[in-house]
Amino acid sequence: TAISKYYVCKRAPLVAYEAMECHGGNGYVDDSPMARLFRQAPLNAIWEGSGNVICLDILRALRKEPETAAALLAELQRASELLMGSSSAVVGKGYLKTMERIQVALSDPTDSFGRDSADQLAISFQASCLLQYSDPLVAEAFLATRWTELGLATQSLGSATSSLPESLIDHLLERLRMSPSPRL
């Protein structure tokens, strides 16, 4: 729960900004719900605790119940196995490098466990869920926009998505058009 809380608090302002940018000037005016969402998105971190406080909460949970680290690693390992049969060797290598970093961080969670480790856990867990339970093309798009051969990508999400193949973007847009309710 703490990992999800950390990541949602960090991503909400970025997502609200991108959504407001899509609406253009209409998203900025106070008559629009986008303006309120944009203003209130940073409040999540105030209500739930700053990033550092939430990282300490993750650390506390790992120390209190060490079996949670083993369960989390097992979940992430299943995704690694699925990636081995994948067509994207580059993404697979990057995910495995991230897994190595996570294993080191979880093997002896010390006070140095911080934002990088929380980011790696959150994004890797998202990838694991998508690989196991979602549309394979959605999982491919998620992975392609977040991993390089060296590990987690550091470029902005906007620039990462602009490099996706057109057929994959078409598939993702078609899912949005067809689905009246959100799906994984």
Side-chain angles (χ1 to χ4, degrees), residues 62-165:
L62 291 170
R63 286 182 177 160
K64 184 177 177 183
E65 298 177 20
E67 62 275 7
T68 59
L72 183 55
L73 283 173
E75 179 72 21
L76 299 178
Q77 186 59 41
R78 284 193 284 278
S80 296
E81 292 163 6
L82 290 170
L83 275 172
M84 289 304 125
S86 148
S87 60
S88 179
V90 170
V91 168
K93 286 180 187 177
Y95 185 86
L96 292 177
K97 285 192 184 294
T98 303
M99 278 292 301
E100 290 170 11
R101 290 184 195 111
I102 288 172
Q103 286 174 330
V104 169
L106 293 180
S107 66
D108 183 27
T110 63
D111 290 340
S112 65
F113 183 96
R115 293 169 183 251
D116 284 345
S117 298
D119 283 338
Q120 290 174 17
L121 283 170
I123 296 169
S124 298
F125 186 70
Q126 285 177 305
S128 177
C129 290
L130 287 170
L131 282 164
Q132 293 180 72
Y133 309 112
S134 182
D135 179 334
L137 291 176
V138 172
E140 180 183 335
F142 181 86
L143 291 162
T145 57
R146 284 152 179 92
W147 271 277
T148 68
E149 191 168 346
L150 301 175
L152 281 173
T154 56
Q155 79 268 18
S156 74
L157 192 53
S159 64
T161 48
S162 67
S163 64
L164 288 175

